[in-house]
Amino acid sequence: MIGFTAPLALWLLPLAGLPLLTRWLRASAVPRLDLRPAEGASRTVDHGMTAAGVIALAALILGLAGPFLRGGTAPYRGNGTNLVLLIDRSSSMDDTFAGRAPDGAEESKSAAARRILQNFIAERPDDRIGIAAFSTAPLQVLPMTTSRTAIAAAIAAQGERGLSQTDVGRGLALAMQMTRDASGLGSRAVVLVSDGAAVVPPEVQDLVRELALEQQVNLYWLYLRTAGARSIFDPGKPGEADTPQTRPERHLHLLLQRLGITYRAFEAESPEAVVEAVAEIGKMETKPILTERSLPRRELGWLCFLIATLATLALTAARWLERPFAPARPAPLVRQP
Amino acid sequence: MKRRIILPAAAAALAAVAMTGPGLQRPQTLTDALLVVDITRSMNTRDMAGMSRLDFARRALTDWIATRPCGSRIGLAFFTERRSLTLFEPVEICADFASVKGALESLDWRMAWEGDSMIQKGLDHALRRAEGFGVPLIFITDGQEAPPLPYSDPARFAGNSPGGVILGVGGDQPAPIPKFDDLGLETGFYEAGDVQHAPARFGEPPPDASERPGWHPRNNPYGEADLEGSEHLSALRADYLSSLAADRGLGFLRLSEGPAALDRVLASHATGKTVTVTRSLSPILATAALVLLLTLWATGSRRITLVRKETT
């Protein structure tokens, strides 16, 4: 699609018809013997002059109107996925993997997660990514987009001090709802990054179950385990209390396993383990996806001016080759008495 | 003869220079901003021409961002309780307009993790956050403190203010605040008995406590006059907000005054960054070439029709 930055200039276009009314080269009403006859090549040159004039004027006027090729998006097939990152914003994410306040030598869980996710996203140019966060309430941070700058800015902003509680159930429901915005072709994935869980109320469990079946998402839980916390894979000793209240993480894991969708949990006790887990997720989520590539707007004015230059040069050359008429009337053939 | 080719050659040269696209460098001031939108309950009040304050703010801000020059950056955050939460750091608005618009549209009162609305504390937090990004702040609120401020003097802002604007949204007539149940369904409006009409009973007692009913210097130093009030109704507290703004080097403006007014106030209360933009000279050169060529054609000889005379 071609657009114009100054479409009003197009009203000048009739002026380009001026060469049809006048001549570029000298004309004389006096007949001459050494002129070429008005046919064949000379007619071609004559029409050529007129055409060059019309083209030069029209091209200049078009160039003034500022034509451009509209940018936009072009669909293309890439390798990636529709990914929703669901990030825990509870305040425990600000501690290190050892459960202490970060002291410079060790980074906090949230800083490590952010750094690793930034690298992960930078390596996957074809993913469509949305970001959601949860604390006491779920919040949509960034709707699904392909813009890398927006995604990076949103992840960087998660470095702010965390909020209070962990409502992981509603967070999952929000993330799965966001995958409704995914492109038609391509898999949908939700990556939950959290260092804890909470009891998911039954009505939210139902909602998550329905959404998981409706959206057919692949769910990955990147569990950032603090030193001393129990593993989610550990069923516990016989006789030990094993309820959602005492071990919410393990029971969230059990709930997610029962959803009937592709689900994998990764336990990471250190930034290195997070890198490995993220690489594993990346490997599993490289599938054909129909996404879009943004096309920048392209200016076409230079092309118009190039055409105008060439046409004007042709006109100049014609004048260069033009021979003047004789300065005076030729002497009469018969001497006057 | 050569005189006749000077002007066409000049026209060709002008067109050729226009093609290369020369430009004049000139400075332009761009102002970034961190938008912080109040999403507390009082923002659900529907007194902006039938729209809720939050809806109105979302629409007005989207329109305003659309009028900003490319290269300016906008960050988005929201405010509830006593702090703000940043959704994304400032991004360039032309490249990421869709994301900014989408995130603005998804701002909702349900994102609030607590119900308090301590405007002054939230404002100071947002100012520090904006200071951290090095961008001015635009804080959109109706100024309803909930719970009301204590009687002691308000804490003064200590940090370095990056400048900016407080945008007031809301009507002048107190209007009822909608109330929602657990499932987010509207169940009516807040009644006088639902809200706190005076600050919590600790700290300094009110100055007129001894005139209040039930006052007793030891057993009831606060009196009983805080049992009823009009805190369940909400109007734009323009005076309060403009005094907050003045203390912090911010401007105050009503959002309903439009994008042009916001640009003006923002320019006078925040320092922008100066970038060099190139203004293309091509149109001027091309116009000169066009005028020259038109003149040359117009002053050319009149067309002569060659009539071949038939000789008999």
XYZ file of all heavy atoms in Angstrom, chain B residues 202-281:
602
model
N -5.312 6.246 66.520
C -4.032 6.265 67.223
C -3.261 7.456 66.700
O -3.609 8.048 65.689
C -3.258 4.950 67.082
C -3.047 4.482 65.690
C -2.042 5.028 64.889
C -3.845 3.488 65.152
C -1.855 4.592 63.604
C -3.656 3.058 63.854
C -2.666 3.600 63.072
N -2.205 7.824 67.375
C -1.488 9.030 66.997
C -2.198 10.252 67.553
O -2.976 10.175 68.519
N -1.933 11.351 66.928
C -2.421 12.630 67.437
C -3.950 12.695 67.358
O -4.535 12.330 66.347
C -1.837 13.733 66.548
C -1.533 15.012 67.260
C -0.677 15.899 66.375
O 0.518 15.602 66.203
O -1.230 16.868 65.835
N -4.643 13.167 68.419
C -6.096 13.332 68.321
C -6.435 14.555 67.469
O -5.578 15.415 67.259
C -6.511 13.534 69.780
C -5.307 14.065 70.454
C -4.116 13.521 69.731
N -7.679 14.615 66.972
C -8.050 15.789 66.166
C -7.962 17.064 67.000
O -8.169 17.028 68.219
C -9.482 15.479 65.745
C -9.952 14.429 66.685
C -8.753 13.646 67.088
N -7.659 18.197 66.384
C -7.495 19.444 67.143
C -8.780 19.878 67.857
O -8.724 20.503 68.918
C -7.068 20.458 66.079
C -7.368 19.834 64.753
C -7.336 18.365 64.953
N -9.941 19.510 67.276
C -11.198 19.951 67.898
C -11.812 18.823 68.734
O -13.022 18.806 68.956
C -12.177 20.403 66.818
C -12.502 19.269 65.848
O -11.729 18.268 65.831
O -13.508 19.369 65.134
N -10.968 17.914 69.222
C -11.503 16.734 69.911
C -12.342 17.108 71.125
O -13.375 16.495 71.394
C -10.355 15.827 70.345
N -11.928 18.163 71.838
C -12.641 18.474 73.083
C -14.056 18.971 72.817
O -14.907 18.934 73.683
C -11.855 19.527 73.872
O -11.660 20.649 73.042
N -14.327 19.405 71.569
C -15.703 19.838 71.253
C -16.580 18.673 70.819
O -17.782 18.829 70.663
C -15.687 20.878 70.133
C -15.703 22.306 70.627
C -14.332 22.949 70.543
O -13.937 23.300 69.427
O -13.671 23.072 71.595
N -15.950 17.523 70.550
C -16.721 16.415 70.001
C -17.519 15.726 71.101
O -17.084 15.675 72.254
C -15.785 15.406 69.337
C -15.059 16.021 68.169
C -14.278 14.975 67.424
N -13.710 15.578 66.227
C -13.297 14.900 65.179
N -13.367 13.593 65.187
N -12.805 15.516 64.146
N -18.663 15.132 70.743
C -19.459 14.436 71.751
C -18.693 13.232 72.298
O -17.917 12.605 71.559
C -20.714 14.017 70.988
C -20.310 14.027 69.542
C -19.287 15.115 69.421
N -18.896 12.966 73.538
C -18.275 11.784 74.131
C -16.805 11.952 74.445
O -16.125 10.999 74.799
N -16.281 13.155 74.305
C -14.849 13.353 74.536
C -14.522 13.216 76.006
O -15.241 13.705 76.875
C -14.452 14.739 74.026
C -12.993 15.035 74.250
C -11.955 14.563 73.518
C -12.432 15.869 75.266
N -10.782 15.041 73.995
C -11.034 15.853 75.085
C -12.971 16.624 76.316
C -10.161 16.565 75.902
C -12.106 17.332 77.128
C -10.692 17.302 76.927
N -13.445 12.521 76.264
C -12.949 12.413 77.629
C -11.435 12.382 77.531
O -10.887 11.603 76.739
C -13.485 11.142 78.300
C -13.115 11.040 79.738
N -11.895 10.560 80.146
C -13.800 11.374 80.876
C -11.839 10.602 81.468
N -12.983 11.097 81.928
N -10.730 13.221 78.283
C -9.280 13.326 78.093
C -8.550 12.004 78.271
O -7.544 11.778 77.620
C -8.843 14.354 79.140
C -10.008 14.562 80.023
C -11.231 14.161 79.291
N -9.052 11.103 79.088
C -8.322 9.858 79.266
C -8.998 8.710 78.525
O -8.366 7.972 77.781
C -8.220 9.511 80.765
C -7.332 8.296 81.015
C -7.459 7.825 82.440
N -8.800 7.353 82.722
C -9.292 7.234 83.952
N -8.578 7.568 84.991
N -10.509 6.800 84.145
N -10.308 8.580 78.675
C -10.991 7.401 78.140
C -11.356 7.518 76.667
O -11.521 6.514 75.990
C -12.258 7.126 78.940
C -11.917 6.795 80.368
O -10.787 6.388 80.651
N -12.869 6.980 81.261
N -11.534 8.721 76.158
C -11.939 8.874 74.761
C -11.351 10.165 74.208
O -12.067 11.130 73.972
C -13.479 8.884 74.655
C -13.919 8.709 73.209
O -13.083 8.619 72.305
N -15.214 8.686 72.991
N -10.034 10.188 74.025
C -9.390 11.447 73.615
C -9.742 11.878 72.195
O -9.392 12.979 71.795
C -7.898 11.128 73.738
C -7.807 9.668 73.601
C -9.071 9.107 74.193
N -10.408 11.003 71.423
C -10.711 11.374 70.031
C -12.129 11.898 69.854
O -12.444 12.460 68.817
C -10.523 10.157 69.110
C -9.085 9.682 69.053
C -8.616 8.716 69.931
C -8.212 10.223 68.121
C -7.296 8.291 69.884
C -6.899 9.805 68.073
C -6.439 8.840 68.956
O -5.152 8.444 68.892
N -13.002 11.678 70.837
C -14.387 12.061 70.653
C -15.097 11.087 69.740
O -14.517 10.088 69.294
N -16.353 11.402 69.438
C -17.152 10.445 68.650
C -17.583 10.991 67.299
O -18.458 10.433 66.655
C -18.409 10.030 69.447
C -18.117 9.258 70.719
C -17.496 7.894 70.448
O -17.481 7.467 69.281
O -16.984 7.268 71.400
N -17.029 12.109 66.859
C -17.563 12.735 65.653
C -17.139 12.028 64.372
O -17.490 12.446 63.291
C -17.124 14.199 65.590
N -16.350 10.926 64.519
C -15.892 10.277 63.295
C -16.778 9.109 62.886
O -16.414 8.301 62.056
C -14.441 9.798 63.475
C -14.300 8.886 64.693
O -15.310 8.730 65.420
O -13.207 8.343 64.884
N -17.973 9.000 63.489
C -18.810 7.853 63.175
C -19.560 8.055 61.865
O -19.985 7.104 61.227
C -19.788 7.583 64.311
C -19.078 7.195 65.614
C -20.099 6.899 66.694
C -18.170 5.990 65.395
N -19.811 9.287 61.508
C -20.451 9.490 60.205
C -19.710 10.574 59.433
O -19.038 11.424 60.003
C -21.923 9.842 60.375
C -22.178 10.969 61.337
C -23.658 11.017 61.682
O -24.308 9.947 61.638
O -24.136 12.121 61.961
N -19.830 10.484 58.156
C -19.146 11.429 57.299
C -19.545 11.147 55.869
O -20.541 10.449 55.618
N -18.814 11.682 54.947
C -19.190 11.498 53.543
C -18.069 10.838 52.760
O -17.929 11.049 51.565
C -19.553 12.842 52.923
O -18.440 13.710 53.031
N -17.254 10.027 53.446
C -16.149 9.374 52.747
C -16.626 8.297 51.783
O -15.853 7.796 50.973
C -15.172 8.748 53.753
C -14.302 9.755 54.476
C -13.319 10.470 53.558
O -12.776 9.818 52.660
O -13.123 11.676 53.739
N -17.913 7.897 51.885
C -18.423 6.880 50.956
C -18.781 7.507 49.618
O -19.089 6.804 48.672
C -19.635 6.174 51.561
C -20.757 7.119 51.893
N -20.640 8.092 52.857
C -21.994 7.226 51.371
C -21.783 8.762 52.921
N -22.603 8.266 52.035
N -18.785 8.827 49.554
C -19.001 9.525 48.283
C -17.654 10.069 47.824
O -16.790 10.375 48.640
C -19.991 10.673 48.445
C -21.374 10.265 48.939
C -22.220 11.492 49.172
C -22.028 9.337 47.942
N -17.495 10.176 46.534
C -16.189 10.570 46.041
C -16.316 11.667 44.995
O -17.153 11.594 44.100
C -15.490 9.358 45.429
O -14.292 9.759 44.827
N -15.499 12.692 45.172
C -15.399 13.753 44.162
C -13.922 14.013 43.941
O -13.078 13.596 44.733
C -16.112 15.015 44.631
N -13.598 14.707 42.869
C -12.201 15.030 42.618
C -11.726 16.028 43.663
O -12.303 17.099 43.821
C -12.035 15.621 41.217
C -10.655 16.193 40.918
C -9.591 15.118 40.978
C -10.630 16.860 39.558
N -10.688 15.682 44.423
C -10.161 16.602 45.447
C -9.050 17.428 44.825
O -7.869 17.173 45.048
C -9.666 15.814 46.634
C -10.775 14.856 47.067
C -10.719 14.491 48.492
N -11.927 13.725 48.793
C -12.085 12.980 49.851
N -11.122 12.899 50.738
N -13.208 12.333 50.055
N -9.475 18.401 44.054
C -8.514 19.176 43.269
C -7.588 19.989 44.172
O -6.387 20.068 43.927
C -9.261 20.083 42.304
N -8.148 20.587 45.253
C -7.308 21.431 46.122
C -6.212 20.611 46.787
O -5.057 21.016 46.835
C -8.164 22.109 47.195
C -9.188 23.026 46.561
O -8.947 23.425 45.398
O -10.213 23.316 47.203
N -6.629 19.437 47.286
C -5.661 18.564 47.955
C -4.560 18.158 46.983
O -3.366 18.225 47.299
C -6.394 17.340 48.507
C -5.494 16.287 49.085
C -4.587 16.591 50.094
C -5.550 14.973 48.620
C -3.759 15.618 50.614
C -4.729 13.997 49.144
C -3.830 14.328 50.140
O -3.006 13.373 50.659
N -4.969 17.756 45.770
C -3.979 17.286 44.793
C -3.056 18.416 44.352
O -1.854 18.213 44.181
C -4.691 16.685 43.581
C -5.333 15.323 43.830
C -6.080 14.851 42.600
C -4.290 14.299 44.241
N -3.617 19.641 44.198
C -2.710 20.701 43.743
C -1.740 21.086 44.850
O -0.598 21.465 44.561
C -3.469 21.913 43.202
O -4.531 22.220 44.021
N -2.161 20.928 46.138
C -1.183 21.224 47.191
C -0.107 20.130 47.238
O 1.076 20.423 47.419
C -1.875 21.357 48.545
O -2.233 20.090 49.029
N -0.498 18.868 47.024
C 0.495 17.791 46.944
C 1.469 18.061 45.802
O 2.683 17.886 45.929
C -0.193 16.445 46.676
C -0.823 15.680 47.822
C -1.402 14.372 47.310
C 0.188 15.414 48.913
N 0.909 18.490 44.680
C 1.736 18.726 43.492
C 2.716 19.864 43.739
O 3.894 19.762 43.422
C 0.851 19.032 42.292
N 2.215 20.935 44.369
C 3.077 22.097 44.585
C 4.258 21.739 45.485
O 5.378 22.182 45.260
C 2.260 23.229 45.186
N 4.014 20.898 46.512
C 5.091 20.508 47.424
C 6.185 19.717 46.730
O 7.303 19.622 47.227
C 4.529 19.611 48.539
C 3.850 20.439 49.592
O 3.999 21.675 49.519
O 3.168 19.861 50.456
N 5.841 19.072 45.627
C 6.777 18.138 44.990
C 7.259 18.615 43.631
O 7.808 17.824 42.864
C 6.100 16.776 44.848
C 5.934 16.070 46.177
C 4.843 15.041 46.147
N 4.746 14.374 47.435
C 4.128 14.889 48.482
N 3.554 16.077 48.398
N 4.077 14.224 49.626
N 7.035 19.875 43.345
C 7.491 20.402 42.067
C 6.759 19.818 40.878
O 7.308 19.698 39.789
N 5.504 19.407 41.106
C 4.717 18.848 40.012
C 3.666 19.861 39.585
O 3.348 20.788 40.330
C 4.019 17.556 40.448
C 4.885 16.450 41.034
C 4.001 15.314 41.522
C 5.852 15.942 40.001
N 3.122 19.671 38.414
C 2.004 20.487 37.991
C 0.714 19.753 38.299
O 0.706 18.548 38.510
N -0.401 20.489 38.354
C -1.696 19.828 38.531
C -2.613 20.216 37.389
O -2.640 21.358 36.945
C -2.342 20.206 39.866
C -3.745 19.668 39.982
C -3.946 18.318 40.216
C -4.841 20.492 39.789
C -5.229 17.809 40.284
C -6.124 19.981 39.860
C -6.317 18.642 40.112
N -3.355 19.244 36.917
C -4.226 19.467 35.766
C -5.368 18.475 35.853
O -5.207 17.370 36.358
C -3.414 19.210 34.493
C -4.096 19.457 33.171
C -4.127 20.951 32.910
C -3.344 18.759 32.056
N -6.538 18.902 35.351
C -7.621 17.929 35.227
C -7.459 17.186 33.913
O -7.185 17.812 32.882
C -8.975 18.643 35.219
C -9.407 19.091 36.577
C -10.551 20.067 36.456
N -10.808 20.698 37.726
C -11.781 20.292 38.543
N -12.564 19.303 38.194
N -11.955 20.903 39.692
N -7.637 15.892 33.962
C -7.451 15.083 32.758
C -8.416 15.507 31.658
O -8.107 15.432 30.475
C -7.662 13.605 33.114
C -7.423 12.580 32.020
C -6.053 12.741 31.431
C -7.601 11.177 32.547
N -9.605 16.002 32.085
C -10.616 16.356 31.077
C -10.231 17.589 30.272
O -10.905 17.922 29.310
C -11.962 16.565 31.762
O -11.787 17.394 32.891
N -9.133 18.270 30.648
C -8.761 19.459 29.888
C -8.084 19.119 28.568
O -7.830 20.010 27.762
C -7.854 20.368 30.728
C -8.649 21.123 31.788
C -7.754 21.934 32.703
O -6.964 22.732 32.182
O -7.852 21.761 33.919
N -7.763 17.875 28.372
C -7.316 17.460 27.042
C -5.817 17.331 26.881
O -5.046 17.788 27.704
N -5.421 16.676 25.786
C -4.005 16.367 25.564
C -3.117 17.607 25.386
O -1.968 17.609 25.832
C -4.014 15.522 24.287
C -5.379 15.501 23.779
C -6.293 16.107 24.762
N -3.658 18.649 24.747
C -2.816 19.829 24.498
C -2.421 20.479 25.821
O -1.259 20.853 26.029
C -3.560 20.811 23.619
N -3.390 20.580 26.742
C -3.100 21.175 28.045
C -2.091 20.327 28.802
O -1.192 20.848 29.463
C -4.397 21.297 28.844
N -2.214 19.003 28.677
C -1.281 18.116 29.364
C 0.137 18.318 28.827
O 1.096 18.397 29.600
C -1.728 16.664 29.185
C -0.812 15.580 29.749
C -0.456 15.848 31.190
C -1.458 14.218 29.626
N 0.259 18.420 27.506
C 1.581 18.674 26.917
C 2.185 19.949 27.480
O 3.363 20.002 27.797
C 1.461 18.797 25.394
C 1.400 17.437 24.721
O 1.934 16.487 25.308
O 0.822 17.342 23.630
N 1.333 20.988 27.594
C 1.817 22.294 28.051
C 2.318 22.195 29.496
O 3.429 22.634 29.816
C 0.689 23.308 27.937
C 1.139 24.646 27.450
C -0.020 25.557 27.079
N -1.216 25.391 27.876
C -2.373 24.963 27.379
N -2.464 24.639 26.110
N -3.427 24.857 28.148
N 1.480 21.628 30.355
C 1.850 21.560 31.772
C 3.059 20.651 31.977
O 3.954 20.944 32.763
C 0.651 21.080 32.615
C 1.031 20.942 34.070
C -0.490 22.044 32.474
N 3.109 19.562 31.210
C 4.241 18.646 31.330
C 5.526 19.356 30.911
O 6.565 19.214 31.559
C 4.005 17.408 30.466
C 5.037 16.286 30.604
C 5.035 15.749 32.019
C 4.770 15.167 29.622
N 5.444 20.135 29.849
C 6.637 20.834 29.367
C 7.138 21.825 30.408
O 8.347 22.026 30.552
C 6.333 21.534 28.055
N 6.205 22.438 31.160
C 6.652 23.454 32.107
C 7.063 22.856 33.451
O 7.679 23.534 34.252
C 5.552 24.495 32.311
O 4.409 23.874 32.825
N 6.743 21.596 33.706
C 7.098 21.013 35.001
C 8.064 19.850 34.891
O 8.284 19.144 35.869
C 5.844 20.549 35.746
C 5.074 21.692 36.317
N 4.093 22.330 35.612
C 5.172 22.332 37.497
C 3.603 23.303 36.348
N 4.230 23.334 37.492
N 8.598 19.612 33.723
C 9.537 18.500 33.590
C 10.565 18.862 32.543
O 10.268 19.585 31.601
C 8.796 17.235 33.171
N 11.767 18.391 32.766
C 12.776 18.639 31.758
C 12.744 17.483 30.774
O 12.765 16.325 31.163
C 14.168 18.710 32.400
O 14.316 17.583 33.262
C 14.333 19.989 33.195
N 12.679 17.824 29.528
C 12.708 16.785 28.509
C 14.144 16.512 28.129
O 15.068 17.121 28.641
N 14.300 15.568 27.228
C 15.639 15.354 26.697
C 15.664 15.932 25.293
O 14.662 15.897 24.576
C 15.991 13.876 26.700
C 14.972 13.084 25.920
C 15.286 11.639 25.841
C 14.146 10.981 25.071
N 14.235 9.585 24.906
N 16.786 16.475 24.929
C 16.879 17.089 23.619
C 17.510 16.102 22.659
O 18.581 15.567 22.927
C 17.731 18.356 23.687
O 17.226 19.147 24.752
C 17.648 19.136 22.412
N 16.831 15.839 21.581
C 17.403 14.966 20.570
C 17.517 15.765 19.280
O 16.823 16.754 19.093
C 16.539 13.720 20.323
C 16.506 12.847 21.537
C 15.150 14.129 19.911
N 18.419 15.349 18.430
C 18.563 16.032 17.159
C 17.695 15.330 16.141
O 17.801 14.119 15.967
C 20.024 15.987 16.701
O 20.823 16.129 17.852
C 20.323 17.076 15.729
N 16.824 16.090 15.529
C 16.036 15.482 14.469
C 16.470 16.120 13.163
O 16.924 17.261 13.129
C 14.529 15.683 14.680
C 14.065 14.888 15.862
C 14.199 17.135 14.837
N 16.364 15.375 12.103
C 16.748 15.889 10.806
C 15.494 16.299 10.063
O 14.574 15.516 9.907
C 17.492 14.804 10.026
O 18.538 14.329 10.847
C 18.055 15.352 8.747
N 15.484 17.556 9.665
C 14.354 18.006 8.871
C 14.804 17.989 7.423
O 15.760 18.658 7.048
C 13.972 19.425 9.296
C 12.654 19.834 8.772
C 12.383 21.281 9.078
N 11.376 21.775 8.174
C 10.093 21.585 8.362
N 9.684 20.974 9.440
N 9.221 22.031 7.489
N 14.117 17.212 6.622
C 14.566 17.016 5.242
C 14.394 18.293 4.425
O 13.393 18.998 4.539
C 13.775 15.884 4.608
O 14.086 15.819 3.260
N 15.397 18.595 3.597
C 15.315 19.759 2.711
C 14.767 19.371 1.351
O 14.570 20.230 0.490
C 16.708 20.373 2.543
C 17.219 21.143 3.747
C 18.613 21.662 3.483
C 16.297 22.317 4.047
